[in-house]
């Protein structure tokens, strides 16, 4: 085919791939701006302000919302997370055990507590356990019950996270430890588990954030005024003041913890990716 024949051929009509991508991106921006404008124009900001943004009510919540409610929320979460770490590691090792009954028990526990809503776990700890064992007191009172409930919920997820982290450690690490005279148990504790922790650190932080939010269910255990966490504290004041501002302030206090933790998780994930490269 000569150059003259090529020139006589009709040119292709239509957009190039780059033009299509630009057009698609522009359409997405238009939709986003339209949605924002529609929300800004359609919302009744005056009613929202009166119901959720009364500064006089918000000011009355300080410093108790920090020194009492947020402090209790953090205590519930930390104690539950520590219990979940220990129990989750034990369940993960049982799941990896060569003893079949251990694997069966671990599998049943994980499937049950991952499948049940956290709400039912708290009701079980707060109602069923006292009925089954009358007169038995859990050490720590409400804080102890909250640690157990949150720990049972979190351990089922952490067990699978631990298992994945342990299996992600190269098998050569165990072989090298055994060649140095380590027993299987000592090699697991001294070599494998520390490396697994480094691998699963971002998912662990995500689980802490989840438990931090689940701590709002502690109210089902029956709390005193001094044991209230953020959600209970906000709801009580909202009922007293007939205004939703306390709920908004409580929500912002959650964000004071979850947003920095989310930033930490992203930084750790970025460092993990760089380490792999």
């Amino acid at each position: 085919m000569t150059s003259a024949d090529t020139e006589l051929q009709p040119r292709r009509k239509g957009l190039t791939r780059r033009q299509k991508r630009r057009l698609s991106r522009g359409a997405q921006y238009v939709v986003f701006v339209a949605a924002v404008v529609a929300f800004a124009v359609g919302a009744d900001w005056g009613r929202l302000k009166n119901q959720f943004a009364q500064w006089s009510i918000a000011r009355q919540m300080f410093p108790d919302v920090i020194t009492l409610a947020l402090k209790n929320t953090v205590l519930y979460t930390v104690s539950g997370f520590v219990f979940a770490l220990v129990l989750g590691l034990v369940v993960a090792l049982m799941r990896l055990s060569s003893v079949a009954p251990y694997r069966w028990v671990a599998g049943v526990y994980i499937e049950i507590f991952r499948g049940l809503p956290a709400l039912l776990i708290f009701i079980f700890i707060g109602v069923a356990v006292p009925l089954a064992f009358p007169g038995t007191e859990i050490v720590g009172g409400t804080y102890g019950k909250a640690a157990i409930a949150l720990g049972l919920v979190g351990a089922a997820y952490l067990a699978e996270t631990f298992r994945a982290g342990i299996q992600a450690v190269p098998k050569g690490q165990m072989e090298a430890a055994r060649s140095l005279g380590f027993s299987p148990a000592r090699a697991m504790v001294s070599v494998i588990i520390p490396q697994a922790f480094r691998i699963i650190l971002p998912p662990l932080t995500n689980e802490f954030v989840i438990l931090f939010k689940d701590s709002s269910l502690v109210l089902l255990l029956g709390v005193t005024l001094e044991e209230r966490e953020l959600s209970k504290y906000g709801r009580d004041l909202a009922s007293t003041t007939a205004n939703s501002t306390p709920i908004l302030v409580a929500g912002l206090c959650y964000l004071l913890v979850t947003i920095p933790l989310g930033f930490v998780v992203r930084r750790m994930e970025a460092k993990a990716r760089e380490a792999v490269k």
Side-chain angles (χ1 to χ4, degrees):
M1 185 180 292
T2 63
S3 59
D5 294 334
T6 304
E7 292 178 357
L8 291 176
Q9 288 182 349
R11 294 183 177 180
R12 293 182 179 180
K13 296 182 180 180
L15 301 175
T16 64
R17 287 185 178 181
R18 179 176 297 180
Q19 290 173 330
K20 289 180 180 179
R21 285 197 299 267
R22 289 179 178 176
L23 183 61
S24 175
R25 190 179 301 113
Q28 293 177 41
Y29 277 114
V30 170
V31 172
F32 175 76
V33 172
V36 172
V37 171
F39 176 76
V41 173
D44 190 337
W45 295 103
R47 294 182 65 182
L48 285 174
K49 180 178 181 299
N50 290 334
Q51 186 64 26
F52 288 95
Q54 290 294 325
W55 172 244
S56 59
I57 297 176
R59 187 171 51 193
Q60 297 173 10
M61 300 178 64
F62 292 89
D64 287 348
V65 68
I66 301 295
T67 59
L68 176 67
L70 181 58
K71 180 200 72 174
N72 284 335
T73 300
V74 171
L75 287 176
Y76 294 140
T77 306
V78 171
S79 58
F81 185 71
V82 171
F83 182 64
L85 275 179
V86 176
L87 181 59
L89 180 57
V90 172
V91 174
L93 294 176
M94 291 174 63
R95 193 73 184 271
L96 296 171
S97 174
S98 59
V99 181
Y102 287 169
R103 295 197 305 271
W104 299 337
V105 171
V108 169
Y109 169 81
I110 290 172
E111 294 303 324
I112 290 177
F113 282 90
R114 282 197 311 179
L116 289 176
L119 176 69
L120 296 183
I121 305 301
F122 276 85
I123 294 176
F124 177 79
I125 296 298
V127 178
V129 171
L131 290 177
F133 304 97
T136 302
E137 291 292 335
I138 296 177
V139 177
T142 302
Y143 293 97
K145 294 177 184 177
I148 293 174
L150 289 171
L152 290 174
V153 172
Y157 294 93
L158 289 181
E160 289 295 271
T161 302
F162 277 122
R163 182 177 65 84
I166 291 172
Q167 291 179 329
V169 176
K171 293 182 178 179
Q173 296 293 317
M174 175 63 79
E175 295 172 356
R178 294 299 306 277
S179 67
L180 293 175
F182 284 55
S183 66
R186 184 182 175 191
M188 178 64 71
V189 173
S190 302
V191 178
I192 304 302
I193 291 178
Q195 295 186 59
F197 261 100
R198 186 167 62 250
I199 294 172
I200 66 174
L201 197 55
L204 288 181
T205 312
N206 281 330
E207 185 60 33
F208 182 88
V209 173
I210 293 173
L211 289 183
F212 184 74
K213 294 184 293 183
D214 285 345
S215 65
S216 61
L217 297 173
V218 171
L219 62 90
L220 297 173
L221 301 176
V223 296
T224 65
L225 292 177
E226 297 300 319
E227 295 172 340
R228 290 179 296 175
E229 38 71 45
L230 281 170
S231 293
K232 175 66 173 173
Y233 183 84
R235 290 177 59 185
D236 287 349
L237 285 183
S239 299
T240 302
T241 60
N243 191 274
S244 299
T245 299
I247 295 178
L248 176 62
V249 174
L252 293 176
C253 289
Y254 278 104
L255 296 179
L256 288 176
V257 177
T258 57
I259 290 179
L261 278 177
F263 175 77
V264 170
V265 170
R266 289 190 294 272
R267 292 291 299 172
M268 288 191 298
E269 290 175 344
K271 288 184 179 181
R273 287 193 296 268
E274 293 174 0
V276 172
K277 294 180 181 178

